[in-house]
Amino acid sequence: MSEFPGLLNYWLVIVMMMTGFYAMISRNNLIKKVIGLSIFQGAVYLFYITAGKVFAGTAPILEEGFSNYSNPLPHVLILTAIVVGIATVAVALALIMRIKDAYGTVEEDEIQHQDKIR
Amino acid sequence: MIATHLPILQVVIPLMAAPLCLLLRRPRLCWALSLAVSVIALVIALLLLGRALSEGPISYALGNWSPPWGIEYRVDVVNAFMLIIIAAIGTIVQIFAPRSISHEILPSQHTLFYTLYLLFLSGLLGVTITGDTFNVYVFLEISALSTYALIALGRDRRALTAAFRYLVLGSIGATFILIGIGLMYMMTGTLNMADMAQRLQPMLDSRTALAALAFLGVGLTLKLALFPLHIWLPDAYTYAPTVVTVLMGVVTKVWIYVFLRFAFTIWGQEFVFTEMHLQDLLVPLSLIGMLAASTAAIFQRNVKRMLAYSSVAQIGYMMLGVSFVSQTGLSGTIVHLFNHALLQAALFMALGAMLLRVGSPLLDDLRGIGRQMPWTMAAFVLGGLGLIGVPLTVGFISKWYFILAALEKGWWLVASLILLTSLLAVIYIWRVVEVAYFQQPDPNTTPVKEAPLSMQLPIWVLIMSILFFGISTKWTAGLAERAAAWLFGGGP
C-alpha cells in the first residue's frame, strides 16, 4: 500500500497528537493544558479506529453477501479509553476549580510565583 | 469452589467495596470495611502464592471466555509476590490511617479517603494480576485517577498543584502505554500477554514493533519515575497526606513489575536489553538517578521531601538491578521491591507520627524530638539504617545482591557507585538523627507527647519485619530468586 492515501490517517494522528502535546507543554493556562491533553488522547482514539479499519470492509454483520469485515475490537477498546479520557478530564477540571479557589488564578507562572513568596 | 475464583475475587472485592464505602458515609464504618477488605486481599494473595508455588501458574478465564479471546488473569510466582506487597502495605496503612488522617485530611473527606483507597487498591491489584495488556491500561487508569484525587486531599494548597502536575504527566505516560499496546495489537492481533509473546517473536524487526517498544519504554519509565522522568514525584510525595505517600510508594513498584513483565515475558530480555541497547541507556540513567537524587536528598530542609528524593534513588537501584540482565541483579530488584516497600512505609509512617504531634515536617521543627518521642524516633533510625543497607536489616540483603551482580559482570565502577550512594544515605539520615537527638528543642514550643499506640503498632510491625527479613532471607530472597529464574526461563 502506498504512503498516500494509505497511511494518511496515521500522519493525521501524528499531527493531532503533537498538537495536543505541544499545547500541554507550552501553554501556561491550566485549562488550555487540559484541552491539549484531550486532543492528545483524541489522537489515540483515531489511531486505534484506523488500525481496525479494513479497506472496503463493512461493519461486522453476519449476513449473506458480507465477507470482508472491519475489526470491531479496537472500537470496543477505544470506547473504554474514551470513558477513561472523560474521567481524566473531569478530575483535572475539578482540580483546577480547587486551584482557582486556593490561588485565585489558573495561570501556572502566577501559581509558582505565589508559592515562592510564602 | 471459591478457590478457583480467587484471582477475580482479589480484584473484585475492593472494587465492589468502594461504592459500598461511599454509601456507608460513617468514617468509622468505612475504616472497618477497608481494613477488612485489605486483610481479605492479603489472605487471597497468600493463598494464590501458595498455589502458584505448588501447582505452577494459575490461569483464570474471566467470564469463562477462554484466552486468548477473553481476558485472562494469570498468577505466577512473580506477580503473586507483588500482590502480597500491595495488600500487606495496604493493610498496615489502614491500621495506621485513622489517627494519621484525623489531622491531615478534613473530617468531611474521611469517607472519600477510604473510598478512593479501595479503588486505588483494586486498580493496583488488577494491574498486577492481569494477563491481558489492555486490562493493564484500564486498571492503570483506575489506580492513577484515584491517586490524583488522594494527593489532592492534602491540606496544603500545593497538594493541588502537585496532583495536577502528576495528572498531566501521568496521563501522558498512560497514553504512551496505550499507544504502545495499540501498536503491539496491530502487529499481533491479540491482547493476551502469553499469546502476544509468541506472535511477536518473528516480527521484532518491523518498524511498528520498534515504535511500540519506544512508546512503552517512555510511558513505563515515566510511570515508575526513573530519572529524569521523576519530576512529578517529589512534590506529589511531599504534599500528599502521609498515608497517601506510603501508598504511592507501592505505585512505582507496581510499574517496575509491569516493566519486568513487558520486557522479560512479552519482548524477551535478549531483544530489549542487548539488541535494542536498552541496557546502555538504563544503566547510566539509573546510576545518575541514584547519585543525583541522593545528593538532592542531602540538601532538603523538609524531611518528607528528603525521603521522596531517597525513593527516587531507590528506584534507580531497582532499575539498575533490572538492567544488569542477570539472575542475580533481577533477584536483587525483586527482593528490593519488597524490602523498600517495608523501609519507605516505616520511614514515612514514623514521620507521619511526628507530623501528628509536631505538625511540621521541617528539619528545624524536629529539634530534640528524639527525647520527646523516643519510640517513634528509634523506629525512624532503624528504618534509616535499613535504607543505608546496614547488615541485619533488609537493606543489606538488596545491596548485597546488587553489588554481587555488578561484580559478576566485572563492573567495578558500578559496584563502587552503589557503595557511594549508600554513604550519601548515611549523610541524609544522619542529618535527621543529629537534629533529633543532639539539638535542643525550641524553648518557645510546648513539649510533645509520644505517638498513640495505633500508630506505634504498625510502625513497629514494619520495623520488626525489616529486622526479621534482614536475618531470615528464606522467604523474601528465596522467593525473589525463584521469581527471577521464572522470568528468565521465558513464558508468562
Side-chain angles (χ1 to χ4, degrees):
Chain A
M1 200 185 300
S2 62
E3 285 266 314
F4 190 85
L7 296 179
L8 175 67
N9 254 25
Y10 291 106
W11 285 110
L12 290 177
V13 166
I14 292 169
V15 170
M16 189 171 162
M17 194 183 285
M18 288 306 124
T19 312
F21 200 44
Y22 178 75
M24 255 190 288
I25 298 168
S26 66
R27 292 301 102 176
N28 200 13
N29 186 304
L30 298 185
I31 302 265
K32 287 182 182 164
K33 273 185 195 289
V34 175
I35 294 171
L37 182 67
S38 236
I39 296 172
F40 183 62
Q41 287 178 328
V44 182
Y45 309 155
L46 184 62
F47 162 70
Y48 265 72
I49 301 297
T50 310
K53 174 67 185 167
V54 174
F55 267 84
T58 61
I61 308 163
L62 207 62
E63 190 85 60
E64 282 285 311
F66 296 103
S67 58
N68 204 7
Y69 312 128
S70 284
N71 185 352
L73 187 68
H75 298 82
V76 183
L77 297 180
I78 237 47
L79 209 56
T80 316
I82 288 171
V83 175
V84 169
I86 291 168
T88 313
V89 170
V91 173
L93 291 177
L95 277 174
I96 292 175
M97 276 172 66
R98 290 197 42 205
I99 288 174
K100 169 84 176 161
D101 283 345
Y103 289 87
T105 174
V106 291
E107 301 290 329
E108 201 174 31
D109 53 351
E110 288 175 26
I111 291 170
Q112 280 172 352
H113 184 64
Q114 286 190 26
D115 275 340
K116 273 207 190 87
I117 290 172
R118 258 171 35 121
Chain B
M1 174 60 201
I2 283 241
T4 52
H5 293 296
L6 282 180
I8 186 66
L9 287 176
Q10 176 90 83
V11 181
V12 155
I13 290 175
L15 195 64
M16 290 290 119
L20 189 64
C21 184
L22 200 60
L23 292 175
L24 284 177
R25 300 193 77 95
R26 300 260 299 279
R28 289 309 285 183
L29 288 176
C30 289
W31 173 70
L33 179 70
S34 50
L35 180 63
V37 167
S38 312
V39 172
I40 293 171
L42 181 59
V43 171
I44 295 176
L46 287 167
L47 289 173
L48 284 174
L49 178 70
R51 268 180 61 194
L53 280 173
S54 59
E55 296 163 28
I58 308 162
S59 171
Y60 180 86
L62 214 65
N64 225 0
W65 294 91
S66 63
W69 295 281
I71 294 169
E72 183 193 18
Y73 280 8
R74 212 176 165 89
V75 187
D76 54 31
V77 187
V78 193
N79 56 5
F81 191 58
M82 202 60 225
L83 291 173
I84 290 175
I85 297 174
I86 300 166
I89 296 295
T91 309
I92 296 272
V93 163
Q94 282 308 308
I95 301 170
F96 181 82
R99 282 313 291 269
S100 181
I101 64 172
S102 67
H103 82 117
E104 283 190 59
I105 297 177
L106 290 174
S108 58
Q109 291 171 335
H110 284 185
T111 313
L112 288 176
F113 165 76
Y114 292 115
T115 311
L116 288 167
Y117 162 76
L118 288 166
L119 282 173
F120 168 88
L121 187 69
S122 65
L124 287 190
L125 291 170
V127 168
T128 310
I129 204 168
T130 188
D132 182 282
T133 44
F134 197 77
N135 220 224
V136 168
Y137 171 73
V138 174
F139 280 118
L140 177 173
E141 288 290 10
I142 292 179
S143 70
L145 287 171
S146 41
T147 316
Y148 308 144
L150 279 170
I151 297 169
L153 288 177
R155 285 178 105 161
D156 192 315
R157 65 176 179 176
R158 281 169 290 185
L160 298 171
T161 41
F164 185 80
R165 187 179 302 161
Y166 182 28
L167 185 145
V168 170
L169 287 171
S171 299
I172 294 175
T175 311
F176 269 45
I177 294 172
L178 182 62
I179 297 168
I181 293 171
L183 289 165
M184 289 202 311
Y185 175 70
M186 279 171 74
M187 292 302 294
T188 59
T190 180
L191 291 165
N192 183 286
M193 286 183 188
D195 198 26
M196 197 181 255
Q198 280 179 2
R199 287 164 189 260
L200 205 58
Q201 285 312 315
M203 357 178 164
L204 281 178
D205 288 332
S206 73
R207 215 189 291 174
T208 315
L210 296 183
L213 184 64
F215 275 113
L216 279 173
V218 176
L220 286 171
T221 39
L222 213 168
K223 276 297 206 185
L224 64 83
L226 179 71
F227 181 88
L229 298 175
H230 69 284
I231 36 168
W232 56 267
L233 191 145
D235 272 350
Y237 273 36
T238 312
Y239 300 118
T242 310
V243 271
V244 178
T245 313
V246 178
L247 291 172
M248 283 182 70
V250 186
V251 177
T252 46
K253 292 177 181 63
V254 169
W255 289 106
I256 291 177
Y257 156 77
V258 176
F259 182 86
L260 293 179
R261 191 50 99 194
F262 275 94
F264 285 83
T265 305
I266 298 182
W267 291 88
Q269 62 271 27
E270 280 286 303
F271 177 74
V272 172
F273 293 103
T274 316
E275 276 181 57
M276 285 296 114
H277 301 286
L278 219 59
Q279 188 176 31
D280 303 340
L281 187 68
L282 285 180
V283 171
L285 283 183
S286 315
L287 287 172
I288 298 171
M290 280 155 57
L291 284 172
S294 300
T295 315
I298 293 174
F299 294 101
Q300 297 308 319
R301 306 193 59 74
N302 182 329
V303 182
K304 214 170 171 188
R305 187 176 272 272
M306 179 198 96
L307 290 176
Y309 274 107
S310 149
S311 290
V312 177
Q314 301 296 321
I315 291 162
Y317 280 113
M318 290 182 239
M319 287 310 283
L320 182 68
V322 177
S323 40
F324 282 132
V325 203
S326 69
Q327 284 209 19
T328 322
L330 197 57
S331 309
T333 299
I334 295 170
V335 79
H336 200 51
L337 288 175
F338 179 78
N339 292 347
H340 185 245
L342 293 180
L343 289 169
Q344 65 100 19
L347 285 165
F348 275 119
M349 280 182 179
L351 183 66
M354 293 179 222
L355 266 174
L356 175 75
R357 293 298 190 218
V358 181
S360 153
L362 295 182
L363 214 49
D364 290 338
D365 297 322
L366 296 178
R367 277 182 293 196
I369 197 88
R371 263 160 287 165
Q372 292 170 0
M373 302 177 74
W375 286 97
T376 309
M377 197 56 213
F380 189 92
V381 172
L382 284 172
L385 289 178
L387 209 57
I388 295 162
V390 174
L392 302 183
T393 63
V394 285
F396 178 71
I397 311 292
S398 325
K399 297 254 161 89
W400 177 259
Y401 273 102
F402 290 138
I403 291 181
L404 215 59
L407 295 183
E408 252 175 28
K409 291 252 167 195
W411 293 354
W412 290 93
L413 185 66
V414 173
S416 48
L417 282 175
I418 294 173
L419 288 175
L420 179 69
T421 46
S422 304
L423 291 178
L424 292 175
V426 175
I427 300 176
Y428 60 72
I429 294 295
W430 176 253
R431 285 180 74 224
V432 182
V433 172
E434 205 238 326
V435 165
Y437 286 110
F438 299 108
Q439 288 191 13
Q440 291 304 322
D442 193 345
N444 298 326
T445 54
T446 47
V448 293
K449 281 188 305 188
E450 181 55 271
L453 187 70
S454 68
M455 290 177 125
Q456 295 281 354
L457 188 75
I459 294 173
W460 280 96
V461 167
L462 285 168
I463 296 293
M464 285 303 146
S465 23
I466 286 170
L467 297 173
F468 176 77
F469 290 115
I471 298 163
S472 156
T473 59
K474 183 177 160 235
W475 283 106
T476 50
L479 263 177
E481 276 182 16
R482 276 189 76 162
W486 176 257
L487 282 172
F488 261 92

